[in-house]
Amino acid sequence: MNISHIEHLGIAVNSIEEHRPFYEQVLGWECYNIEVVEDQKVKTAFFKVGNSNTKIELLEPTSPDSTIAKFIEKKGEGIHHIAYCVPDTQEALDKAKELGVQLIDEKARKGAEGLLIGFMHPKSTGKVLTEVCSNPDKK
């Protein structure tokens, strides 16, 4: 699959503003991007982890019927998923499917920060919701 690094860890929260001070004041990371992804019914906030390419993504539901709202209702706030950076999201999804991995997304789709994303089902990934993502501008 040619993973270059952990792109981000997604953390489900009820309120970005409630949790933001921890990441900024305690950990010393700047929130460099907040955006709403309408089709996913989620508001995201990103923090770079030190000098690495890895980020923390806070995920706040914007609707009670969003995936993140349902996750929080069932499991509470906390780690939602891990995302790996790959050269080509669709290629990575196709390879995973070929190897018998159950996919949530058969086709790559647009995610936050303009990335192409796709999720693999936790039933096939050791109970960890796994995302692959790529920057379509870097192909």
Side-chain angles (χ1 to χ4, degrees):
M1 202 174 281
N2 199 19
I3 294 169
S4 63
H5 61 279
I6 293 174
E7 211 289 330
H8 65 268
L9 292 174
I11 300 175
V13 298
N14 284 312
S15 167
I16 287 170
E17 292 310 310
E18 180 183 320
H19 292 278
R20 188 173 172 175
F22 172 77
Y23 293 93
E24 292 182 328
Q25 296 167 15
V26 177
L27 299 180
W29 301 335
E30 178 185 353
C31 178
Y32 71 87
N33 184 36
I34 295 179
E35 80 181 84
V36 174
V37 183
E38 295 289 343
D39 66 325
Q40 295 178 31
K41 300 176 186 175
V42 68
K43 180 178 175 182
T44 64
F46 285 94
F47 303 83
K48 283 201 84 127
V49 177
N51 295 323
S52 73
N53 289 327
T54 302
K55 300 172 254 179
I56 295 295
E57 175 189 34
L58 299 184
L59 301 150
E60 175 186 317
T62 59
S63 172
D65 68 338
S66 73
T67 301
I68 296 300
K70 291 174 186 173
F71 175 89
I72 292 171
E73 185 179 310
K74 185 176 179 181
K75 298 186 178 187
E77 295 179 303
I79 294 176
H80 179 259
H81 68 272
I82 186 167
Y84 298 101
C85 185
V86 296
D88 184 305
T89 300
Q90 189 60 55
E91 187 177 288
L93 291 171
D94 292 345
K95 180 67 173 173
K97 183 176 180 179
E98 179 184 307
L99 294 171
V101 174
Q102 183 180 346
L103 302 179
I104 292 172
D105 296 306
E106 296 279 334
K107 298 289 181 199
R109 58 188 166 102
K110 187 179 179 298
E113 298 195 300
L115 297 178
L116 287 177
I117 66 168
F119 284 91
M120 297 176 216
H121 202 286
K123 289 179 182 176
S124 295
T125 60
K127 298 186 181 182
V128 176
L129 181 59
T130 301
E131 177 184 6
V132 288
C133 52
S134 61
N135 185 336
D137 297 331
K138 291 190 177 180
K139 277 192 161 186

